[in-house]
Amino acid sequence: MPSSPALLGRLRARHLALVVALDERRSLRRAAADIALTQPAATKLLHDLEDALGAPLFERHAWGMSPTPYGETFVHHARGMLNDLARAEADIRAQRSGATGSLRVGGATGAVPRFVAPAIGALREAHPKVRVFALINTSEVLVDALRRGDLDVAVTPRPPDDDLDGIETRPLADEPLAFVARAGHPLAGRTDATLPVLRALTWIVPPPGSPLRRDFDAIHAAAGARPPTDLIETVSIVATLALLQSSDALSLLPEGLAHHYENQGLLARLAVAPSGPDTRYEVMMRSSRPLAPAAAAFVEALDRLAKAEAGTAAGCGARMPRDGGPASKTPERVPVRRPPGRRKPRPSS
């Protein structure tokens, strides 16, 4: 829907910058300083914008200012428009230096070896001069970055709160989870390890509120047990690997990521596999913005990867690893049972 001519004739980039600065600073004086205006000039600018929209955007308080419901709506769109302007400027600079477009992609850590990295490689092979920025983080961070316009597309599970207003999603692929430990761990290769045995050890897990932590808790709840309490929480895969390699702790990772690091000798997947739902990766985009050519080509590469993987797995009848290696057997799903008597088996140190 096109904007009214009256609004287009009055709206300027500084209006957008002012309301975003006001939302962040909650002070007219500090917001004005951020965009190099005097306070009287900022007051007039805000009044003109509210008059053009016919709605109050901010409430004045003794301690500062806060957005009204109208203001929250406008700030959301203003932030996106400023990001689009910055993106346009960056794309033009890139074109002047020889680039043919840019892509800003986000990915959950588990999606990187299986989808994000191969799709970037396919895009760059077809379009070598496309500039790529990749943000690897939690699903909540990625969704927020999409809403702000900092990313074009993200590959991630849904965030636990499932708040995807303004985000278009499409399913990409499901992935099982795997219990992992350092290479040479006492439990590596043992098929008699049970969930009660594993629960007694230290676990490296994401903090509450993340999709993988939700899955971790659900695995134990499905077995009628409380999750372990001896936890080290981190969202960093680098920290997870370092902590695993320096101890007998365990962790839970998407199978593709586990296989990727197992191939490098950095960890081992345990023979007992968690029972529960797989992780579902989705492709997410802003519903209010069409994809730029480079982003559209990246999404097409993702779709080709998912279809090729599904076809290969169906043809060979085996679970395919996520980094292009040979087909691997699925770890045995051992039923949860309590150890006999009062003894609690522990791995040797």
Side-chain angles (χ1 to χ4, degrees), residues 35 49 69 80 174 234-235 262:
I35 61 173
L49 179 60
D174 293 345
T234 179
V235 298
E262 186 178 44

Side-chain angles (χ1 to χ4, degrees), residues 29-337:
R29 178 179 58 82
R30 290 195 292 268
D34 282 354
I35 61 173
L37 286 178
T38 64
Q39 186 168 335
T43 299
K44 184 178 185 304
L45 201 65
L46 178 60
H47 180 269
D48 290 345
L49 179 60
E50 290 178 324
D51 184 61
L53 293 170
L57 300 181
F58 287 86
E59 292 179 336
R60 283 72 171 171
H61 309 280
W63 51 264
M65 304 179 72
S66 64
T68 65
Y70 303 114
E72 290 177 350
T73 298
F74 192 81
V75 165
H76 168 75
H77 291 288
R79 185 172 279 115
M81 286 185 278
L82 288 174
N83 279 328
D84 286 343
L85 287 172
R87 174 68 181 276
E89 180 186 21
D91 283 351
I92 289 173
R93 283 202 311 266
Q95 285 179 295
R96 291 177 64 185
S97 65
T100 58
S102 63
L103 167 69
R104 295 173 301 176
V105 59
T109 303
V112 172
R114 182 181 178 187
F115 287 116
V116 177
I120 289 175
L123 173 68
R124 293 273 297 170
E125 184 176 359
H127 308 282
K129 293 185 177 181
V130 170
R131 292 189 174 183
V132 178
F133 166 77
L135 172 65
I136 310 304
N137 215 306
T138 64
S139 59
E140 297 89 344
V141 171
L142 298 177
V143 169
D144 285 344
L146 277 174
R147 285 204 179 96
R148 291 193 306 268
D150 295 338
L151 295 177
D152 300 312
V153 60
V155 183
T156 179
R158 285 176 175 253
D161 60 15
D162 215 23
D163 180 13
L164 295 175
D165 183 45
I167 303 296
E168 177 186 343
T169 68
R170 65 174 75 168
L172 182 63
D174 293 345
E175 181 161 46
L177 301 172
F179 293 136
V180 298
R182 64 174 174 83
H185 192 282
L187 291 179
R190 284 179 50 179
T191 60
D192 60 341
T194 61
L195 197 59
V197 174
L198 304 185
R199 286 183 65 247
L201 301 178
T202 301
W203 284 83
I204 318 297
V205 294
S210 65
L212 194 58
R213 180 61 175 272
R214 174 189 57 199
D215 295 337
F216 178 77
D217 292 343
I219 288 168
H220 293 278
R226 293 183 178 180
T229 57
D230 186 5
L231 305 176
I232 300 175
E233 297 176 341
T234 179
V235 298
S236 168
I237 186 62
V238 175
T240 299
L241 289 171
L243 289 165
L244 287 175
Q245 290 168 5
S246 62
S247 70
D248 281 342
L250 306 177
S251 189
L252 179 72
L253 295 179
E255 187 185 70
L257 192 63
H259 189 87
H260 176 76
Y261 287 115
E262 186 178 44
N263 276 355
Q264 300 177 40
L266 297 177
L267 54 77
R269 289 179 293 170
L270 301 188
V272 55
S275 297
D278 295 343
T279 289
R280 169 161 292 184
Y281 294 122
E282 301 198 28
V283 181
M284 300 187 182
M285 303 152 282
R286 286 188 293 171
S287 56
S288 59
R289 299 286 193 280
L291 289 176
F298 176 79
V299 172
E300 290 173 2
L302 289 173
D303 290 339
R304 288 195 300 271
L305 284 167
K307 290 176 181 176
E309 184 181 87
T312 303
C316 71
R319 186 186 304 279
M320 296 301 296
R322 309 311 185 190
D323 59 356
S328 60
K329 294 182 180 180
T330 304
E332 179 183 357
R333 291 184 180 265
V334 178
V336 176
R337 61 182 185 275

